[in-house]
Amino acid sequence: MTARASLPTVDAPFSGGWTSRLAERTRGRDGTLSAILALANATDVINFSGGFPDHALFPTDVLQQLVEKLLHDDAAVALQYAPSEGIASVRDAIADHVEHGQGLRPDETDLMVTSGGIDAITLIAKSMLDAGDAVAVEEPSYVGAVTGFTSFDATVLGVPIDDGGLDVDAFAALLAAGAAPKLIYTIPDHQNPSGWTMAPDRRRALVELCRRYGVLIVEDVAYRELGFAGSPDNSLWSLGPDVVVQIGTFSKTFFPGVRLGWAAGPAEIVAQLVIAKQNSDQCAGALGQRLLEEFLRGGYYADHVEHARRLYRARAAVMTDALAASFGGTPASWSRPDGGFFSWLRLPGVDTTALATTARDRDVAFVPGAGFFSARPDTEHARLSFSRVSEPDIAEGIARLAAAVGYA
Ligand SMILES: Cc1ncc(COP(=O)(O)O)c(C=O)c1O
C-alpha cells in the first residue's frame, strides 16, 4: 500500500484576502455600471438614473396568453436548450424585423440571436480583441460597452461627438495620424448618454472611411426604434454590411427581463461570435426567443413600440421644457433628444459626482457624467433619463436639481 500523499505544509492558513487573487484585468475596476443599476432601483427618489423602459408599458396581458400557448403547444422547444446562433424560426422573425426597419435583410449566416446588447458587445470583444488592441469609442459613450472592451484589455481611443453625432473628421484625423483601432463602437441613434443622433452625411462618410482603413464599425442600435419624429436615417449596417456589425437589443422596446438582442454583420465574424457564445451562456434562453417570435409574428410589436414612442416623446418634451424653466439663463446647456431615453445636461464648473450626493438629499437621482468618458476627464455633465418618470415628477425633479446646483 502506498502512503497517502501529504498536503504541502504551510506556516499559516491563507489570509491574504481574495482580492489579491483576482485577475489583473478585473482588479481595481470600480463597477460603475453596478452603481448605476443599484441607484436605478431606488424608489424613494425622483429617479432620472438608469436607461430603463417604463414597466407600465410591459405587455403583460399578451405575454400571459403567449406563454400559456407556448407551454401548451411548444414546450419541447421553448423550454429546451437552443442553438448558439438562435432558434431558426426566431432568426427568421428577427431578419424580417431588421428588413422592415432598415430596408436590407441579413442573410441567414449574417445574423445571430444574442442575450441582449451587452452580450453581443462581449462576444465581439472576446472574438476580436487581443490585449493592447485599440478600440475607438465616442466620447462620451455607453459605459457598459467601454468596460466590455477594456475587460478584454483593449486600449480605448476617444473620438469627440456633438449634436450631429460622431465627429467623423476628427476620427479621420486620428487615423491619418497613425492610430490603428481594430474597431469603432458607435451609437448613431439617440445616443447613450447624450441623446444625439448621427447626421446622414456623417453616416456615409464613416462607412467609407472605415472601409478604406479596414476598421470594423460596431453599430449599437439600442434606441433606433424609439425616434420621436419620422423614420430613422439609414443604419450604418444597411450602408455598409461588409464593414459593420450591428448590435440590436429588445430590452428597450420589448422588455429587458427577456435579455434578447441580435448581432448582424459579415458572416465570418458572426460565425466567430457564435463560437464565442458556446463558452459564455451557450445560447439565449429559448422561452424568451419563442415569446419574442410570437410577439413579432402576432403583429403586436409595431403597436407596442408606437405606444412607447408616444409616451417617451411626451416625457422628453416635458423634460426639455422643465430644463428651460429651471436652468434657462444660467450657464447650463442641455441636449434636446429626438428619441431614446436621455437628456445630457452640462453644468459648467459644477462637479456632478459631488452634485449626485446633494441631489440625493433632495430626493433626486441622476447619473454623473464622469463614468461615460474614457480618455478625456469630464465631471461637468449629468445624464438624465426621462423614460420612467411621470410628467409631473419630471418637472418637480428638474426644479429640485436646479435647487441642488444652487440655481433656484
Ligand atoms: C447603447 C446601449 N447598448 C446596449 C445596452 C444594453 O442592452 P441590454 O440590456 O440588451 O444588454 C444599453 C443599455 O443601457 C445601451 O444603452
Side-chain angles (χ1 to χ4, degrees), residues 33 37 50-52 114-121 141-145 185-187 189-193 220-223 247-252 255-257 259-261 341-342 383:
L33 205 55
L37 290 174
F52 285 31
T114 64
S115 306
I118 268 282
D119 180 41
I121 290 164
S141 185
Y142 168 50
V143 187
Y185 169 78
T186 174
I187 310 162
D189 313 285
H190 326 300
Q191 201 240 17
N192 180 4
D220 186 334
V221 291
Y223 302 95
I247 295 169
T249 174
F250 291 99
S251 296
K252 314 297 176 179
F255 62 100
R259 311 301 301 131
L260 277 182
F341 287 179
F342 309 113
R383 192 191 73 178

Side-chain angles (χ1 to χ4, degrees), residues 303-330:
D303 285 351
H304 176 69
V305 173
E306 185 47 41
H307 181 46
R309 258 187 227 119
R310 277 203 300 271
L311 182 87
Y312 297 136
R313 180 171 49 220
R315 288 182 179 172
V318 172
M319 171 74 89
T320 304
D321 289 351
L323 286 166
S326 294
F327 288 90
T330 75

Side-chain angles (χ1 to χ4, degrees), residues 365-390:
F366 66 89
V367 183
F372 298 97
F373 291 87
S374 24
R376 178 170 68 82
D378 181 308
T379 51
E380 58 183 28
H381 281 87
R383 192 191 73 178
L384 304 171
S385 173
F386 47 79
S387 57
R388 55 182 184 146
V389 186
S390 71

Side-chain angles (χ1 to χ4, degrees), residues 346-372:
R346 178 164 175 256
L347 296 167
V350 176
D351 177 346
T352 56
T353 306
L355 178 68
T357 309
T358 326
R360 268 307 290 236
D361 294 341
R362 294 176 186 260
D363 295 330
V364 191
F366 66 89
V367 183
F372 298 97

Side-chain angles (χ1 to χ4, degrees), residues 116-206:
I118 268 282
D119 180 41
I121 290 164
T122 309
L123 295 175
I124 290 169
K126 195 172 167 184
S127 305
M128 309 264 331
L129 300 177
D130 291 314
D133 278 345
V135 169
V137 300
E138 289 159 345
E139 187 82 311
S141 185
Y142 168 50
V143 187
V146 176
T147 52
F149 298 129
T150 54
S151 62
F152 284 91
D153 303 317
T155 307
V156 172
L157 297 174
V159 183
I161 175 172
D162 57 32
D163 59 3
L166 178 92
D167 183 341
V168 180
D169 288 341
F171 186 45
L174 263 178
L175 295 175
K182 234 182 203 172
L183 58 90
I184 178 160
Y185 169 78
T186 174
I187 310 162
D189 313 285
H190 326 300
Q191 201 240 17
N192 180 4
S194 66
W196 290 323
T197 290
M198 198 187 294
D201 57 330
R202 291 197 189 178
R203 291 176 188 241
R204 290 180 194 285
L206 181 64

